[in-house]
């Protein structure tokens, strides 16, 4: 009996010591995290003080570089990424958020080209719990290498505009810059692509202006808007360029622009910016880049593309309003959707070639007859 008491006492003592050691280790980890958080905050403040001219995006990138360097130095354990890849959410062309599954648990990883991937979340029992905890929603869409998450009020936000989520383990954050809806988000991606490709933008805008009979020689120029007046067939705009007065007709204008020109006579503006605020022209401009528009203003029919959301991958067609028409069932994977898209495009191309051949057969061989007559 006495031995049992001694053994229990010894076991209790060992448990107490083990518990104490665990508490000390946990406290040290928390203290280390606090020190890291303090260093990040201090370096961020110093960066803002020394480089006040930096944009918000540049500051965010600088803050992440500091965070990454400190992680490599003090938290090498977060770079131990193991398990199977269970999902990828693109942030932009260079970075992505990934979900890994290891030992019946899921955790999140931030992966940036040229850097070692690192954990940014704790472990969760399900993938849905992980996504919901980090992003506040399990409803998402991946469109042209951008990931959008849906808010409860119908608005959406992009990971591209909220890269601070990658500091999740060390810093609290709130998502910002939500789009009004998913349609607006899709159009913002298309406009960004055009904005970043100068040659494509210039080509698209000139083609659209030619279609509406608006002189394209003003593209890239600053003009003075003298007056605007609404008429039956559109909006008449009187402008001045290099001391010469010119007049153009715009099919439909944004009301805000009309008010600005009325309130501020002789308003200077970039011609591109002004013309893009015309609804019809703006849609025609986007149409060149591959958006299907309403019949009245359709200039080009868009090809199909793979869309991804929480339900799966499918082939869709983007409209000028930003809405997507689903033209296929959901496929087992994005890769399968890409394969089916390739088959669809080959089928369309083959149909076009057959149509051209049919037209050529029905056409009268005028040239061959003339040649025969000349030889005779």
């Amino acid at each position: 009996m006495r031995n049992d008491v001694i053994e229990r006492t010894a076991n209790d003592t060992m448990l107490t010591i083990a518990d104490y050691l665990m508490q000390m280790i946990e406290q040290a980890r928390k203290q280390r995290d606090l020190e890291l958080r303090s260093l990040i905050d201090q370096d961020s403040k110093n960066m803002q003080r020394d480089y006040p001219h930096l944009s918000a995006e540049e500051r965010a990138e600088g803050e992440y570089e500091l965070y990454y360097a400190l992680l490599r130095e003090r938290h090498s354990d977060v770079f131990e990424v193991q398990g199977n890849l269970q999902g990828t959410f693109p942030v932009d062309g260079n970075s992505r958020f990934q979900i890994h599954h290891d030992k019946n648990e899921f955790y999140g990883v931030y992966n940036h080209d040229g850097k070692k991937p690192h954990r940014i979340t704790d472990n969760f029992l399900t993938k849905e719990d992980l996504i919901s905890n980090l992003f506040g929603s399990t409803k998402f869409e991946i469109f042209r290498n951008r990931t959008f998450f849906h808010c409860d009020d119908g608005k959406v936000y992009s990971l591209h505009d909220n890269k601070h989520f990658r500091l999740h383990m060390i810093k609290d954050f709130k998502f910002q810059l939500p789009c009004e809806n998913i349609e607006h988000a899709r159009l913002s991606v298309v406009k960004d692509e055009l904005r970043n490709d100068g040659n494509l933008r210039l080509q698209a805008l000139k083609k659209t202006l030619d279609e509406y009979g608006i002189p394209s020689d003003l593209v890239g120029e600053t003009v003075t808007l003298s007056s605007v007046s609404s008429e039956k067939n559109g909006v008449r705009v009187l402008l001045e360029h290099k001391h010469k007065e010119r007049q153009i007709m715009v099919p439909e204008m944004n009301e805000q622009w009309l008010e600005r020109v009325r309130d501020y006579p002789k308003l200077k503006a970039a011609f591109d910016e002004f013309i893009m605020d015309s609804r019809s022209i703006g849609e025609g401009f986007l149409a060149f880049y591959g958006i299907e528009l309403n019949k009245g203003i359709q200039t080009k029919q868009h090809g199909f593309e793979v869309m991804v959301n929480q339900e799966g991958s499918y082939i869709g067609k983007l409209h000028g309003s930003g809405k997507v028409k689903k033209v296929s069932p959901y496929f087992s994977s994005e890769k399968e959707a890409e394969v089916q898209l390739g088959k669809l495009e080959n089928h369309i191309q083959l149909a076009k070639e057959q149509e051209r051949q049919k037209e050529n057969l029905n056409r009268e061989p005028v040239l061959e007859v003339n040649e025969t007559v000349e030889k005779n």
Side-chain angles (χ1 to χ4, degrees), residues 50-309:
D50 297 337
Y51 302 97
H53 61 282
L54 292 178
S55 66
E57 185 175 355
E58 289 171 330
R59 279 199 297 271
E61 289 301 321
E63 189 176 46
Y64 175 67
E65 291 294 336
L66 292 170
Y67 175 57
Y68 180 82
L70 288 168
L71 280 181
R72 292 298 300 268
E73 180 184 343
R74 303 185 179 213
H75 284 266
S76 58
D77 55 308
V78 302
F79 294 94
E80 297 173 5
V81 176
Q82 298 175 341
N84 299 318
L85 181 63
Q86 295 293 308
T88 298
F89 298 84
V91 177
D92 52 32
N94 302 316
S95 60
R96 60 215 60 86
F97 170 74
Q98 297 176 323
I99 296 177
H100 286 254
H101 184 222
D102 185 41
K103 298 176 182 177
N104 297 322
E105 291 184 316
F106 296 85
Y107 64 91
V109 170
Y110 183 71
N111 189 336
H112 192 283
D113 292 346
K115 288 184 168 58
K116 198 172 180 181
H118 58 85
R119 291 172 175 249
I120 62 170
T121 74
D122 295 321
N123 292 337
F124 291 84
L125 293 178
T126 68
K127 184 165 65 173
E128 289 72 23
D129 287 343
L130 166 59
I131 296 172
S132 179
N133 181 272
L134 183 60
F135 299 120
S137 172
T138 57
K139 190 177 180 182
F140 66 88
E141 178 175 291
I142 299 174
F143 175 71
R144 298 192 183 182
N145 217 30
R146 296 277 183 92
T147 302
F148 294 94
F149 279 91
H150 294 248
C151 305
D152 293 336
D153 58 2
K155 294 182 179 181
V156 298
Y157 64 84
S158 73
L159 295 190
H160 178 266
D161 296 325
N162 289 277
K163 292 182 183 177
H164 44 289
F165 79 90
R166 58 193 172 180
L167 307 179
H168 175 61
M169 292 290 276
I170 201 72
K171 197 171 183 179
D172 294 331
F173 66 91
K174 289 184 179 179
F175 289 108
Q176 301 172 347
L177 303 173
C179 295
E180 288 302 317
N181 49 53
I182 189 62
E183 290 81 12
H184 180 265
R186 293 177 190 130
L187 290 181
S188 70
V189 173
V190 175
K191 289 178 181 178
D192 280 348
E193 290 174 344
L194 279 167
R195 191 179 298 116
N196 295 329
D197 190 331
N199 292 331
L200 182 63
R201 184 175 62 253
L202 184 64
Q203 186 183 4
L205 186 54
K206 283 186 174 181
K207 183 176 183 293
T208 305
L209 292 178
D210 288 343
E211 288 173 355
Y212 285 100
I214 298 173
S216 59
D217 61 306
L218 295 174
V219 172
E221 299 288 326
T222 298
V223 298
T224 301
L225 305 175
S226 303
S227 67
V228 294
S229 56
S230 297
E231 299 185 5
K232 263 187 177 182
N233 57 339
V235 178
R236 188 178 299 278
V237 181
L238 188 65
L239 56 87
E240 186 179 307
H241 177 243
K242 294 182 178 178
H243 306 294
K244 292 182 179 178
E245 284 195 348
R246 301 183 67 169
Q247 186 173 272
I248 61 173
M249 287 294 296
V250 179
E252 186 182 5
M253 278 299 299
N254 187 311
E255 190 61 34
Q256 290 180 341
W257 260 110
L258 291 172
E259 291 174 0
R260 283 184 65 187
V261 180
R262 288 175 186 142
D263 294 342
Y264 299 97
K266 300 293 182 181
L267 174 69
K268 283 193 176 294
F271 182 76
D272 298 14
E273 178 188 353
F274 164 71
I275 212 68
M276 281 303 297
D277 246 323
S278 165
R279 291 191 186 95
S280 297
I281 292 175
E283 287 179 336
F285 176 71
L286 294 176
F288 175 85
Y289 194 58
I291 296 180
E292 182 187 17
L293 301 175
N294 296 329
K295 296 290 183 182
I297 50 176
Q298 186 170 341
T299 57
K300 177 183 176 182
Q301 201 168 43
H302 177 51
F304 301 97
E305 59 187 290
V306 171
M307 311 288 293
V308 181
N309 59 28

Side-chain angles (χ1 to χ4, degrees), residues 29-45:
R29 188 187 71 79
K30 288 181 178 178
Q31 182 62 34
R32 185 175 59 176
D33 288 347
L34 285 172
E35 290 174 358
L36 184 59
R37 186 178 291 110
S38 177
L39 282 170
I40 290 288
D41 290 341
Q42 187 57 48
D43 284 338
S44 297
K45 289 177 182 177

